[in-house]
């Protein structure tokens, strides 16, 4: 009976909706909620960035309101917020110098710093000024001598040697005598010492040269030098064609080295070490890796010692080793292993204590551990069923570590993080008790931190706190959304449901239009990104408007994190390992859940969009769940992981490449398309090569499927300028036309 009632209601409401066409006013309202027209234009202080004075006397920040910017300062001597300077007087002074009228509330200053004599130094329109705060005398600051160091040379810490490369080999020369010494002897073109692989190194033309690079790593006592040998001899390239250059009537060929999953033809990186006194190489057993898993080196204070960290390919083993070149010894400090993958491995050496702290999921939750460098004994500093997101400050002298963690308080949303400190004995103290998401910034000396705390439906407060106790000493800003609230804006509504495993609670949020009418029937659009390295739940208030523009055109917009995304237990994360094709199952459950909960959501009209990995999701949704998702816009997508950059799919879909890559490929499943799909890509995207989008288009043609394709010839992975606005308009209208069934408006005015 309920289904019959909703069918009748839908028929009635659809008739009503068809009678109410979108207007220019609707588009203008949608456009007004785009971030550039919103942040600190009609909503203020969603997030406040602070800048700590180098003399450790205080901080400065900008307070925004409808009148513009107010530069403010807080000094630790009294914790009072006050104007940093008289903006009217400064604007008048700058107006005279610049010979133009400058509004005090629109001044854009940067690099503000206190001088020793109490003046302020700042940059304005590419010039550096010094301001006397008593007389308001304004002087152009003397230009500091630029560091003219040769980027292809590196001076040793003691100043006695200069390292450089010549004929693809590593050399050093004495700064005293100028005498040169050749350290390596077998370098040649494409097997090159003291260089590095550049992720975004683009080569232009048929026989293009790779951009020249130089890098070495001196030991702290200048007695040893580390470098890499980078081997391009068997490495294959990816290619692009740039059709966008007006002055060229032939496309420009672009290429870059970037291995794909399973490739053996990749750039190889080998670490090498030289004794400066003997001018000879010191051999180690460290491995040669590919450019996605090369060895990273951190020198210790003790001569000849360094830490070497690296992952084996496949990211199921991660190592941290102590290498001693003087004694030719190697000691394993950390050996992480996993049957799935090791993600976000992090460590920090505390050399004064001869310790290393690191984050590990070995317990099933990301926790903090301490390993003794001498004995290799490892102890847990934290224990529990919660996730440590990051270590934000370490006081080695006090033996205190400050970290942000989510899910420690079972009464809180597990995505909201709080700040804690833990000592070397494992005693943990909560420093931010508010039930909210906390984003912090520490002063250099570690005595203070600034806390931006909020939720997606509770505006941001920004406060200064004592690191010792978390006590609030001053309130800096509060978010102001009164202008949009007066226009009937309501914050996104969080929701939760049980995931596909039948036991785990997952979280999401929905956006509604400001003219929301519970008596209408709204299509729902899934804004997706199920990449296992991140999460989409909007934790903080600065994300409260991110889907409002699309909602204004008559949609409910949803974001949700299903099983397999990051930030929760290792078991939760593992759901996506070698299984990324099924990451959307929880999204389908969420749509069903919302449709049952809210009679104004039409689950027969479901759309989806996403960028990059979210673009893969979009294609996957349209092909794996064609009876659920009816309209999709997939931008800059990695539609087949076998055509992607190696590290990301190998981390999450596994290595070596197996049949699962084929099974989850959108290209493989092109025949399943039923709905309307728009494929979008930048023509010179070196991050996610457009080849997979073209290959999916070819597969859709061969399967005789109707689809749309939009290529931006001049754009890379993110769309800029006119292309950004064009894409936004295209995406809006694709859903308006194909999901709402209305005639879209193209010629509306941008603010």
């Amino acid at each position: 009976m309920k289904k019959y009632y909703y069918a009748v209601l839908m028929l009635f409401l659809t008739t009503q909706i068809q009678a109410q066409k979108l207007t220019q006013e609707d588009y203008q309202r949608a456009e007004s909620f785009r971030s550039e027209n919103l942040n600190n234009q009609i909503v203020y202080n969603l997030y406040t960035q602070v800048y700590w004075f180098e003399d450790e006397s205080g901080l400065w920040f900008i307070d925004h309101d409808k009148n513009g910017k107010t530069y403010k300062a807080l000094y630790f001597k009294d914790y009072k917020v006050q104007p940093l300077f008289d903006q009217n007087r400064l604007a008048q002074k700058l107006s005279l110098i610049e010979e133009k009228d400058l509004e005090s509330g629109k001044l854009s200053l940067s690099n503000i710093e206190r001088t020793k004599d109490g003046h302020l130094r700042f940059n304005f329109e590419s010039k550096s000024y010094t301001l006397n705060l008593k007389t308001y005398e304004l002087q152009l600051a003397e230009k500091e001598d630029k560091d003219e160091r040769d980027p292809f040379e590196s001076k040793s810490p003691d100043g006695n040697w200069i390292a450089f490369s010549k004929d693809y080999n590593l050399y050093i020369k004495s700064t005293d005598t100028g005498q040169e010494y050749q350290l390596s002897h077998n370098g040649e073109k494409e097997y090159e010492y003291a260089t590095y692989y550049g992720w975004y190194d683009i080569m232009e033309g048929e026989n293009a040269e790779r951009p020249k690079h130089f890098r070495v790593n001196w030991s702290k006592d200048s007695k040893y030098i580390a470098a890499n040998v980078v081997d391009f001899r068997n490495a294959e390239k990816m290619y692009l064609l740039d059709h966008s250059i007006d002055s060229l009537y032939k496309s420009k060929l672009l290429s870059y080295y970037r291995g794909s999953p399973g490739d053996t033809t990749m750039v190889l990186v080998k670490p090498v070490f030289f004794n400066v006194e003997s001018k000879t190489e010191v051999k180690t057993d460290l491995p040669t890796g590919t450019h996605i898993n090369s060895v990273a080196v951190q020198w210790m204070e003790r001569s000849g010692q360094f830490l070497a960290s690296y992952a084996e390919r496949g990211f199921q083993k991660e190592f941290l080793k102590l290498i001693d070149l003087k004694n030719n010894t190697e000691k394993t400090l950390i050996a992480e292993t996993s049957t799935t993958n090791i993600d976000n491995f992090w460590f920090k050496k505390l050399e004064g204590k001869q310790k290393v702290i690191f984050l590990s999921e070995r317990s099933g939750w990301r926790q903090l551990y301490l390993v003794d460098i001498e004995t290799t004994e490892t102890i847990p500093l934290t224990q529990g069923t919660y996730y440590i997101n990051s270590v934000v400050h370490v006081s080695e002298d006090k033996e205190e570590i400050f970290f942000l963690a989510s899910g420690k308080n079972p009464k809180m949303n597990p995505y909201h993080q709080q700040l804690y400190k833990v000592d070397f004995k494992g005693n943990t103290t909560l420093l931010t008790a508010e039930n909210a998401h906390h984003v912090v910034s520490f002063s250099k000396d570690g005595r203070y931190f600034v806390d931006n705390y909020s939720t997606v439906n509770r505006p941001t407060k920004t406060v200064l706190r004592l690191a010792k106790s978390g006590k609030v000493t001053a309130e800096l800003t509060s978010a102001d959304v009164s202008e949009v609230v007066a226009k009937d804006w309501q914050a996104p509504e969080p929701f939760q449901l049980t995931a596909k495993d039948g036991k785990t609670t997952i979280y999401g949020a929905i956006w509604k239009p400001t003219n929301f009418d519970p008596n209408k029937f709204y299509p729902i659009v899934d804004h997706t990104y199920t990449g296992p390295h991140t999460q989409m739940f909007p934790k903080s208030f600065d994300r409260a408007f991110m889907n409002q523009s699309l909602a204004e055109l008559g949609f409910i917009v949803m974001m949700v994190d299903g099983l397999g995304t990051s930030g929760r237990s290792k078991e939760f994360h593992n759901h996506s390992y070698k299984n990324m094709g099924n990451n959307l199952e929880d999204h389908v459950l969420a749509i069903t859940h919302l449709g049952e909960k809210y009679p104004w959501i039409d689950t027969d009209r479901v759309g989806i969009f996403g960028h990059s990995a979210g673009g893969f999701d979009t294609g996957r949704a349209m092909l794996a769940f064609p009876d659920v998702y009816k309209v999709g816009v997939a931008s800059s997508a990695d539609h087949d992981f076998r055509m992607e950059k190696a590290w990301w799919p190998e981390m999450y879909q596994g290595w070596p490449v197996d049949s699962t890559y084929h099974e989850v490929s959108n290209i493989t499943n092109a025949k399943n398309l039923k709905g309307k799909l728009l494929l979008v890509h930048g023509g010179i995207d070196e991050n996610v090569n457009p080849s997979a989008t073209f290959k999916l288009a070819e597969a859709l043609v061969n399967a005789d499927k109707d689809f749309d394709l939009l290529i931006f010839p001049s754009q890379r992975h993110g769309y800029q300028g006119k292309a950004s606005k064009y894409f936004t308009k295209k995406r809006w209208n694709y859903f308006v036309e194909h999901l709402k069934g209305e005639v879209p408006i193209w010629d509306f005015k941008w603010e």
Side-chain angles (χ1 to χ4, degrees), residues 241-245 681-685 710-716:
L241 285 174
D242 187 351
H243 307 279
S244 67
I245 304 172
H681 220 114
I684 52 174
D685 183 351
L710 172 61
I711 301 296
F712 292 113
S714 65
Q715 298 299 299
R716 289 186 158 82

Side-chain angles (χ1 to χ4, degrees), residues 2-18 519-523 599-605 630:
K2 186 177 179 181
K3 289 184 178 179
Y4 174 76
Y5 168 78
Y6 281 138
V8 173
L9 178 63
M10 184 176 71
L11 179 62
F12 170 75
L13 292 176
T14 302
T15 303
Q16 293 297 104
I17 291 170
Q18 288 175 345
N519 296 313
K520 289 185 178 180
F521 217 30
Y522 292 90
W600 33 265
I601 290 181
D602 183 358
T603 55
D604 285 328
R605 291 186 294 164
K630 307 300 172 59

Side-chain angles (χ1 to χ4, degrees), residues 337-350:
T337 61
S338 174
T339 56
T340 55
N341 58 15
I342 299 167
D343 198 4
N344 295 319
F345 178 74
W346 176 91
F347 75 93
K348 180 179 178 65
K349 64 183 174 72
L350 308 178

Side-chain angles (χ1 to χ4, degrees), residues 53-55 57 112-122 129-133 141:
F53 289 127
E54 288 184 2
D55 63 6
S57 62
I112 300 174
E113 193 54 69
R114 283 165 57 92
T115 65
K116 292 181 180 179
D117 51 8
H119 300 334
L120 284 184
R121 183 187 290 258
F122 64 87
Y129 292 92
T130 299
L131 174 67
N132 185 319
L133 290 172

Side-chain angles (χ1 to χ4, degrees), residues 199-200 238 240 256 258 529 611-613 616 635-640 643-645 648 680-693 715-718:
W199 187 260
Y200 295 107
M238 290 187 178
L240 299 164
Y256 54 102
R258 189 73 54 81
Y529 191 103
H611 189 80
S612 194
F616 166 79
S635 53
S636 298
D638 49 348
H639 289 292
D640 190 311
M643 303 175 70
E644 246 275 57
K645 50 187 172 287
W648 196 88
V680 186
H681 220 114
I684 52 174
D685 183 351
E686 79 287 350
N687 186 6
V688 176
N689 193 284
S691 56
T693 289
Q715 298 299 299
R716 289 186 158 82
H717 195 56

Side-chain angles (χ1 to χ4, degrees), residues 9 12-13 16-17 20 29 488 490 511-523 551-552 554-556 598-602 605:
L9 178 63
F12 170 75
L13 292 176
Q16 293 297 104
I17 291 170
Q20 298 176 3
R29 193 173 62 254
D488 297 324
Q490 294 182 352
W511 283 255
K512 297 182 288 188
T514 54
N515 60 0
F516 173 75
D517 182 348
N519 296 313
K520 289 185 178 180
F521 217 30
Y522 292 90
E552 290 304 308
F555 300 98
I556 304 300
Y598 300 115
W600 33 265
I601 290 181
D602 183 358
R605 291 186 294 164

Side-chain angles (χ1 to χ4, degrees), residues 452-516:
N452 281 267
Y453 68 91
S454 65
T455 69
V456 73
N457 53 9
R458 194 192 321 160
T460 313
K461 283 189 177 296
T462 306
V463 297
L464 176 71
R465 313 181 88 131
L466 298 177
K468 181 179 180 179
S469 62
K471 178 184 176 181
V472 174
T473 63
E475 182 173 313
L476 305 183
T477 63
S478 292
D480 180 359
V481 292
S482 56
E483 290 184 47
V484 291
V485 169
K487 298 178 182 179
D488 297 324
W489 176 81
Q490 294 182 352
E493 180 180 334
F495 65 88
Q496 60 189 63
L497 69 147
T498 301
K500 63 184 179 181
D501 65 355
K503 63 179 183 179
T504 306
T505 302
I506 59 175
Y507 297 81
I510 58 172
W511 283 255
K512 297 182 288 188
T514 54
N515 60 0
F516 173 75

